[in-house]
Each structure stands twice: as C-alpha cells, then as structure tokens.
Amino acid sequence: MKTETLRYQLLQAQLQMAKRENRALVLMLSGQAASYMHPMLNTLNHWLENRRTEVHALEPSGEDAKRPALWRYWRRMPARGTTGIFVHGWYGDALFARAERRIGAGAFEDRLAMIREFEAELAAENVALVKIWLDIDRKTQGERLSAMQEDPSRAWQLDPADWQRHLQHPLIKALGKPLREITHTDWAPWHCITGDDPEDLVHQVAERLLDTARQPTVDPEAPWASCHLAPAAKDAPTVTKPDPASRSAGRLKKDDYQQRLVEQQARLSHNSREAARRGIPVVLVFEGHDAAGKGGSIHRVTTALDARHYRVHSIAAPSDEERLHPWAWRFWRRLPVDGRFAIFDRSWYGRVLVERVEGFAAPAQWRRAYGEIRHFEKRLLEHGTVLGKFFLSISKDEQLKRFEARANTPRKQYKLTEEDWRNRARWDDYEVAIDEMFEQTHRTHAPWSLISCDDKRQARLEVIERVNELLERRLDGAL
Amino acid sequence: MKTETLRYQLLQAQLQMAKRENRALVLMLSGQAASYMHPMLNTLNHWLENRRTEVHALEPSGEDAKRPALWRYWRRMPARGTTGIFVHGWYGDALFARAERRIGAGAFEDRLAMIREFEAELAAENVALVKIWLDIDRKTQGERLSAMQEDPSRAWQLDPADWQRHLQHPLIKALGKPLREITHTDWAPWHCITGDDPEDLVHQVAERLLDTARQPTVDPEAPWASCHLAPAAKDAPTVTKPDPASRSAGRLKKDDYQQRLVEQQARLSHNSREAARRGIPVVLVFEGHDAAGKGGSIHRVTTALDARHYRVHSIAAPSDEERLHPWAWRFWRRLPVDGRFAIFDRSWYGRVLVERVEGFAAPAQWRRAYGEIRHFEKRLLEHGTVLGKFFLSISKDEQLKRFEARANTPRKQYKLTEEDWRNRARWDDYEVAIDEMFEQTHRTHAPWSLISCDDKRQARLEVIERVNELLERRLDGAL
C-alpha cells in the first residue's frame, strides 16, 4: 500500500473508533530491535491522530512499584476510542527479568500465563491488541547502531541501554520464541516483522494496526473459553443453608461487647501498624444484604486504624471515564499502596449480584465476571495483599424490622430507599446469585466470611476478629 | 443542639449537597490538639455519610514529592457533592516546617500568602471551606495524653508523634496566631475551638460544618477582589500589531531547514536528558490559530525526546469527573513528575480564548481565569518547572489557503471541521481575546512566545530553538 493511502486509512480507522467509542487499540512493540524503536515511534506519532494516541514507555514510578505488577498498565490502559502504544510493556517485565537472570524459567512461564489471562480479559472488554515482534538480525542491528553512533545528526537518538540490549540480542531472540508461543492467541496474535529498512518496518506495523482496527470486535466468550478457570469451590459457604457451626451463638450483652470490641480494636491497631511498617497492603471487601450493617462494621474496623492508613471506597455507578475503560479498571485504580488499607463498601462483586439480578449486566458479562474476579484477586494475592471478603447476611424477618426502624428514625430515613424495597422483593433471586458467587469465588487464599448479622454486636466482633486473624496469619508468615 | 438533631441535620445537609452537586465541602482540622484528633475523626466518620466523605491525613507519596507542593491537595480535592476532611493539610506543611525550623519566617509568610490565593481559588469554584483551629491548653492536653497512655483500652490510639507535637505545643500555639490572621478571610474563616471534653469539641466542629453547608454559595468575585493581582505586562506581544523584529525573515530552503532542524533536535535531546538527570520538570503550552501548525511543531519537539520522558495532553471538553472539580483540577492532574515533559496541545488558556469567544464561560469566569492562570503558573515556577508558552499565529489569508489545502488532501480532511470555519468567522473576536490574554498573562518568568507561522519551516525552527533557550537558561542556572 502506498504511504499516503496507508496514512489516510489509518487515520480514518482511528477517527471511526473515536466516534463510536466501541473499542480501544493497544499496540505492543517488542523484540530485538532497539535501534529501530525510536524512529518507529516517531513515525507512528506523526501518522496517528495525536489527540487520540499515547505512547507508554515509562519506567515504573514509586507508586507503580508499590502496587501489583499490572497496576501500572491498568492505570495507563487507553479509553475506548483511543490508542495506546506500549514499548515492551508487560512483556518487557518478563523478558528482561529473565534475560538478566533475575527470575528463573518457571517464574518466566508463570508471568506469561498471567499475561495470557490479562490479554484475554482486555480482549473480552473490547481492547484490540496488536502485538509486534521486531525480529531484526544481529548483524543488521549492529551495523545500524554503529552507523548511528558515527553520524552526528543521529547519534543523539541512541541510548546507552541500546548497546546493552544489542549484546543481549541472541538471548532475547531465544526467549522470544516461547514467549510468543505461550501468548499467541486468536484475539491477541503476535506478528513477527523483519527487515532492515526502517520505513518498510513502519509500513508493516501500520498495516497490522489497520487490519486490527478494521476487524469486527472480538466475541467476548472466545478468550475466556481458553483460560483455565479453577473449578468451583467445595467448602464455600451458602446463605440458603447457613453453617450451623457459625460463631454467632446467642445475644451478647452490651458491657461484654464493649470490652471485647476495645480488645479487638487494640489488637487491630497493633496489627495494622505492623502491616504498615512491613509494607503489606490490605484489601477488605464488604458485601451483604441491605441493612445488614456494612457501614457499622466498617466503622468498627476503621476506628482502630490510623486515618493516614486507610481509604474507604463506596462503589456505586461508574463515572464516564470508568465507563470508557474495561470493567475492572475502576477497581484497579483504587488499589492501595503497599502498607495501606483499602476498604470496599460494595465492590467488584456488584457485577454478579445487583448487576446480575437487576439485568444491568448481560448474562454473558456477569458469567465472565467470575473469571475476571478470580484473576483480579489472584493478582492481589501474588503481590502479597491480605484480602478479606465479608458477606454480611440477615434473615428476611430481621431486615423488615430494620427497614421499619429506619423509617422511624429521622437521621436514618435517608438510608432507606425504594431500591431497598425493590431488592427485598427479589430476595430469592439474590439468594441464588449470592450462593453462586460463593461457589465461584470462594478460594483457599481468598475465602469468603459469611457473617450472620441478626445480632449486630456479635457480627461486628466477628468481622474485626476475622480481620485480625487474617492479618496475623500473614504477619506470622503463615499466609 | 442535641446530638441526635445535630447528626440528623448534618446528614440532611450532606445529602442535599450530594443531590445538587453544587459545591464541595472541605473541613480543615489543625491546631495544637494531637490527642483529640483521633477520636474527633472517628466520631465525624461515624456521623457523616461515609459514601460522601473522605479523610486525608496522608504523608506525601513518592509521586507527591515530585510535583508542586499543592499537587497532592489538588489530586485529593473533593468533587462537588462530597466532603473532604484534611488533618493539618496545606497548613501542616507550613506550620511544622516552621516549627521544626526547616524554613525561615519569610518563607513561612510566603506559604501563607500562597494558601490565601489557593483558598480564594477554591472558594470561587464553590469549594466551601471550614477551618477549625483546635486550641487546647497544654496542661489539659498533657493530662489527656498521660491518661490515654496508662489506659490499655486507649493506649493504642496514641502515636509517638503525638508526644512530639505535645512538646511543640507553645511553638505551634505561637505560630498559629499569625497563621490564622493571614489566612482568615470572609470565604474561608478560621474557627478557634477550645475545651477539654472530646464530645463537646466534636459538637462545636459539627455545628460549624453545618453552618457552612447551609450558607448560600460564595459570590465568586469576592475572594478574587482581595488577591493582589500583578499589573498587566507592558512588553507583552500582540497579534494585532506584530513585532517587526520577529525572527521570521524570508522563506527557508528545505535543505537549510533540514540541517538546522537536526542540529536543534540534537541540542534538545541533550538538554532534555540533562533535565531528566537533574529532575527538572518541563511544561510546554501550545496555543494558536487553527491550522497554524501546532501539531507539526509539537511533533518536531517530541521527535527529539525519549518516548519515556514526555506526554502530550490534548485539551478538549472536560470529563464528568473533571466537571465536578474546580476548573484548574484538570490541569493539575496532568502535571509532569520531576524530570519529565508535559506538552499541552491547547491548555488552560482555552478559558480566555475559545470559552470566552464562544460564551462557554461566563464573563465573570473568564475574567477571573487570568488570576487563576497566574496563580497556577506561579506554583509551577516556584517548584522549578521550566515553562514555555507558544502562540502560533498565521495571517487570515494564509489560514484560508491551508483550510483549502486540507479540504483537498484526503488524509487531512478530518482536521478541517465546521468549528474551524466558525472560529474563522470570529477572527476579530479572537484577536481581541488573544491580545488581552498576552497582556494579562505575559510574565518575566512565564513569557509568551508569539511565533509567526506563515512560513512553517521557520516557525518550527523558532519553536524548538526557543525551547532550547529556555532549557539552557535553566540548566545554566540563570533561570
């Protein structure tokens, strides 16, 4: 294709995408081609609509380093209608860590498996991936680097790291093969591109980009079908048949409660300071029936924490920036920095609860969400996050009593909305959704705690005790 | 007021605010009252609608430390409809730096003057400020700290820093007086609160909060009238009477251009690496007539930069998250980390250009914007940012030629929109707005470069040369 035609069509495709806001485009550039990267980026920047394109070739910042590894890519994920160009990106992390022997062969494969899951998730959410491996042979590359070095008008384009990468050429070429094999999929295929003429290389990349931008969007089911999803849990709790061995055994007297609460809070205060000192991040999720007492339980936890150490995130309808990104983006952006608590008052589980029951999410979307949630929580755990998931349940009778009490207390009336009554009318649908959620997302290292809240005091104590147990298991090195 | 009534009314006020989304509420807690802070926050957290309230008592993160001082408050500024509680906040930075003798008396006053401007800006943008100085006498505070220390059920609430602050009690009390005097304004008054009963103190704070939440919104002009705005510049450029000494003198041949461009790019590459090494942030602003060549000029600059070192921000209509924050928030959030370039393709000057001419901003808003812009740029300069502002101008005839050329080149057609023709029809209105912008915002350390772009090559060279000059003046220590 002639350059002029190619540029025109690329722009048209980008403008179409911007108009429809139906997908984002990610161009991943990797391979053994250091000397070609700068002119390539430069030409692409020139050809593409620059108001709709961002290049990401950043080293991790301080805040990046203190979050799960994919956080820095999630925070830079292009919104639908825009294009993001990543230089090595998530592949660079695996590739250079292995090339420099910072990780072993097993860890390298683990990272590639993680990338496969990550890209499946992106593809299912309409992020179109164009992955280019620039396969330049060593001699050509070496000659080009030398020529650049000697030409005063181009020498400044070289970075000392370019020579380092050149020395690693055979290693990167060798690692590139399994890397591409493991992460080559129908929805995120690799394109191996070779040659020695920079202009021709750009042409090849631009044509792949154009092809992808013009393809219909991916069937979101396909990427998921290929992911090895863990089987459902056997020991998951159920709301329909509550565990008879539940801790809540009889009403608790106020004095006893106060004393035990203060003990637990002192213990939590100590544990949280220790977690802060060691840089351990903590994520607590609160879901539950309306009026079960999520707010009150969260308050008993935060009372014990230093105000500098936690944030409570109430999850409601997404903002328009959030709507333009893959579903999980709104949770990734709220992850705590190491050593801090993020407490979610409702969470990513909304997808398989309210969004499912109310029909805000299509069946395919909420079914896929089980896998997305497992991936997301796996990323947290791999990073060393302490993850607590609490479901606060009450009986249908108790809920009615509390709704009535709210209706009769002026400062609580605002808490009772029509939505609460509507949800209550769908009690049985919720029960099904809740139990399926437990079955699909209860995991050894991310277990659900089902807290029976008919006795509020007992429930609050149980939550804070379990948070302490989780923290101590981690602080003692058992988790 | 009885507790129950107070809580009820506070909640109602918050819910009203949330419904109307017409203002944000900021509660600033400072003073010499370390031992009261924890229970106070705790009770407020309990009383306020927690989905609409955030407490900010964070130490600066790595990313905070590498941005202008107010960045970390801007990024945490509550959206309209929500409440943010700051513990010491921007006052803490000044107060403790002075108490610990890290800054002198003059710098202390400078910071308070900065805060005054900052709060005027917030108030004018409907951020209601409630500033509480907790004035607890030393003896009461000491007794309370000792009592807490000895009570196992409360000892965990103490932080070692609480004792340190207690020792500084007389100093903080003494510094508090001028601090409050300088920053006490009609729209952001200080409330001095005293007592020894934590419950009573919370009551006093909650009543102030309630008063403010119920007040009508501030007249945005009032805060500005009090700010000492610098007089208009005398040596500002003008588009209506161009400088005859402008550098553009005759057409430039292609070969000459190419050679000089590469020289300038090599120089810029060197300068930018040096800026990265020294952690100097660079902000470049590009404004100009439609079709003057902003995109092309930016491209010639970025060609010389390492892709890891810059971001181009195209400023268009704000997102809904941006709309819920004060006007300047959308620019603060895009400031570069130290050592990096942020290049703005259109910028905060849109307020006094397109928004003024098209009537998107009310006259009071765009007039106020001159001051807001000066404050914003002052913050950048104080932090050591290299700031370049370029206005790319073309003659009306040349613009017509380019519009026609765009209409006839397929890959450029998308660049020509009805808006361009509409803007052209208002050429004279824009000329008035542009010249007033120069007059109001041309400053010794933030000068405008008016680049005549009828000759594109000459213009591109001039831009990159000026960027180099700015950088070198800074790198040589002259700026």
Side-chain angles (χ1 to χ4, degrees), chain B residues 236-243 287-290 292 352-354 356-358 366 370 391-397 399 422-440 450-452 454:
Chain B
T238 53
V239 275
T240 39
K241 291 180 216 145
D243 182 3
E287 292 286 350
H289 290 121
D290 292 323
V352 296
L353 297 173
V354 59
R356 167 185 176 169
V357 173
E358 295 286 338
W366 62 255
Y370 294 127
F391 191 90
L392 274 48
S393 86
I394 46 174
S395 63
K396 212 172 165 182
D397 291 346
Q399 190 186 55
R422 203 168 59 230
N423 292 345
R424 186 175 162 77
R426 300 221 167 154
W427 185 275
D428 295 341
D429 294 341
Y430 272 101
E431 298 291 270
V432 172
I434 294 163
D435 275 353
E436 194 173 312
M437 171 187 82
F438 287 148
E439 199 184 298
Q440 292 283 339
L450 172 58
I451 312 280
S452 165
D454 282 3

Side-chain angles (χ1 to χ4, degrees), chain A residues 3-4 7-9 11-12 15 38 41-43 45-59 61-64 71 75-76 87 152-154 156-161 262 265-267 269-270 273 295-296 298-300 302-315 318-323 329 333 340 345 409-415, chain B residues 3-4 7-8 11-12 15 38 41-43 45-59 61-64 71 75-76 87 152-154 156-161 262 265-267 269-270 273 295-296 298-300 302-315 318-323 329 333 340 345-346 409-415:
Chain A
T3 302
E4 194 71 1
R7 284 182 67 174
Y8 173 68
Q9 295 189 352
L11 265 176
Q12 286 303 319
L15 294 171
H38 184 95
L41 287 173
N42 210 9
T43 309
N45 254 334
H46 194 36
W47 287 11
L48 296 167
E49 226 294 71
N50 58 19
R51 273 168 290 182
R52 293 270 159 189
T53 311
E54 275 192 7
V55 175
H56 301 286
L58 303 163
E59 294 123 26
S61 74
E63 293 199 13
D64 288 335
W71 189 76
R75 86 192 275 214
R76 297 185 173 104
V87 179
S153 77
R154 289 193 296 158
W156 57 269
Q157 291 181 10
L158 283 177
D159 191 273
V262 163
Q265 288 178 331
R267 190 176 148 202
S269 170
H270 172 80
R273 277 166 209 246
I298 291 172
H299 180 67
R300 269 59 184 192
T302 59
T303 296
L305 303 178
D306 186 320
R308 286 164 299 185
H309 291 175
Y310 73 89
R311 285 278 294 271
V312 178
H313 300 281
S314 291
I315 301 300
S319 72
D320 65 353
E321 292 187 28
E322 289 171 345
R323 253 183 278 265
W329 188 78
R333 76 192 294 220
R340 299 289 178 261
D345 183 349
T409 312
R411 83 175 153 73
K412 290 189 174 173
Q413 278 160 0
Y414 82 96
K415 284 190 174 182
Chain B
T3 302
E4 193 72 2
R7 285 182 67 173
Y8 173 67
L11 264 176
Q12 285 304 319
L15 294 170
H38 184 97
L41 286 173
N42 209 9
T43 308
N45 255 335
H46 194 37
W47 288 9
L48 295 167
E49 226 295 70
N50 58 19
R51 274 168 290 183
R52 294 269 159 190
T53 310
E54 274 192 7
V55 175
H56 301 286
L58 303 163
E59 292 124 27
S61 74
E63 293 198 12
D64 288 336
W71 188 76
R75 85 192 277 213
R76 296 184 173 105
V87 179
S153 77
R154 290 193 297 158
W156 56 270
Q157 291 181 10
L158 283 178
D159 191 273
V262 163
Q265 287 178 331
R267 192 176 145 201
S269 170
H270 172 79
R273 277 166 209 245
I298 291 172
H299 179 66
R300 269 58 184 193
T302 58
T303 296
L305 303 178
D306 187 319
R308 286 166 298 186
H309 291 173
Y310 73 89
R311 285 279 295 271
V312 178
H313 300 281
S314 292
I315 301 301
S319 72
D320 64 354
E321 291 187 28
E322 290 171 346
R323 253 183 278 265
W329 188 78
R333 76 192 292 220
R340 300 289 178 261
D345 183 350
R346 303 203 185 271
T409 310
R411 81 172 153 76
K412 290 188 174 172
Q413 278 159 358
Y414 81 95
K415 284 190 175 182

Side-chain angles (χ1 to χ4, degrees), chain B residues 66-85:
Chain B
K66 290 181 177 173
R67 298 278 198 332
L70 289 175
W71 188 76
R72 66 169 165 278
Y73 304 111
W74 273 105
R75 85 192 277 213
R76 296 184 173 105
M77 202 46 63
R80 276 196 280 279
T82 70
T83 301
I85 301 179

Side-chain angles (χ1 to χ4, degrees), chain A residues 418-442:
Chain A
E418 272 183 37
E419 205 184 316
D420 291 323
W421 290 108
R422 202 167 62 229
N423 292 344
R424 185 174 164 79
R426 300 220 167 155
W427 184 275
D428 295 341
D429 295 340
Y430 272 101
E431 298 291 271
V432 172
I434 294 163
D435 275 353
E436 194 173 312
M437 171 186 84
F438 287 148
E439 198 184 298
Q440 291 284 337
T441 62
H442 185 77

Side-chain angles (χ1 to χ4, degrees), chain B residues 275-299:
Chain B
R277 202 183 61 76
R278 294 208 221 156
I280 297 169
V282 182
V283 169
L284 303 178
V285 170
F286 288 85
E287 292 286 350
H289 290 121
D290 292 323
K294 287 194 301 297
S297 292
I298 291 172
H299 179 66

Side-chain angles (χ1 to χ4, degrees), chain A residues 51-309:
Chain A
R51 273 168 290 182
R52 293 270 159 189
T53 311
E54 275 192 7
V55 175
H56 301 286
L58 303 163
E59 294 123 26
S61 74
E63 293 199 13
D64 288 335
K66 290 182 177 172
R67 299 278 198 331
L70 289 175
W71 189 76
R72 66 170 165 278
Y73 303 111
W74 274 105
R75 86 192 275 214
R76 297 185 173 104
M77 202 45 65
R80 277 196 278 279
T82 70
T83 302
I85 302 179
F86 290 83
V87 179
H88 296 300
W90 40 94
Y91 288 100
D93 295 345
L95 190 62
F96 300 122
R98 180 66 190 133
E100 288 153 20
R101 306 278 168 199
R102 283 182 277 120
I103 58 171
F108 182 56
E109 286 199 13
D110 289 346
R111 295 213 190 171
L112 297 178
M114 174 186 85
I115 287 174
R116 213 182 136 96
E117 287 181 354
F118 175 48
E119 292 183 348
E121 195 173 333
L122 295 178
E125 292 276 326
N126 281 330
V127 178
L129 291 143
V130 185
K131 303 191 295 190
I132 305 285
W133 186 271
L134 292 162
D135 190 17
I136 310 300
D137 77 73
R138 195 182 189 183
K139 199 161 152 280
T140 308
Q141 169 98 310
E143 285 166 5
R144 209 177 126 79
L145 285 172
S146 301
M148 284 172 79
Q149 188 90 320
E150 282 157 24
D151 177 354
S153 77
R154 289 193 296 158
W156 57 269
Q157 291 181 10
L158 283 177
D159 191 273
D162 293 340
W163 284 107
Q164 187 198 345
R165 295 274 180 257
H166 181 57
L167 289 171
Q168 295 170 329
H169 189 287
L171 194 53
I172 290 171
K173 192 177 168 74
L175 290 170
K177 209 164 159 277
L179 176 146
R180 292 195 305 277
E181 276 167 14
I182 294 175
T183 59
H184 182 84
T185 53
D186 284 346
W187 49 90
W190 276 103
H191 305 280
C192 226
I193 279 180
T194 189
D196 56 6
D197 174 21
E199 259 189 60
D200 172 61
L201 288 170
V202 170
H203 259 254
Q204 293 187 56
V205 170
E207 279 169 14
R208 293 292 82 69
L209 203 55
L210 182 59
D211 281 352
T212 306
R214 281 173 167 178
Q215 272 163 23
T217 55
V218 165
D219 164 22
E221 296 313 302
W224 283 101
S226 84
C227 282
H228 298 285
L229 290 181
K234 286 204 178 110
D235 57 343
T238 52
V239 274
T240 39
K241 290 181 217 143
D243 182 2
S246 164
R247 298 188 198 186
S248 84
R251 297 265 156 183
L252 201 61
K253 287 223 185 77
K254 189 159 186 180
D255 283 356
D256 286 356
Y257 164 69
Q258 284 296 1
Q259 198 199 324
R260 284 177 58 192
L261 183 66
V262 163
E263 281 167 17
Q264 288 298 329
Q265 288 178 331
R267 190 176 148 202
L268 179 54
S269 170
H270 172 80
N271 287 334
S272 71
R273 277 166 209 246
E274 188 58 20
R277 203 183 59 77
R278 296 207 218 157
I280 297 169
V282 182
V283 170
L284 303 178
V285 170
F286 287 86
E287 293 285 351
H289 290 122
D290 292 322
K294 288 194 300 299
S297 291
I298 291 172
H299 180 67
R300 269 59 184 192
V301 170
T302 59
T303 296
L305 303 178
D306 186 320
R308 286 164 299 185
H309 291 175

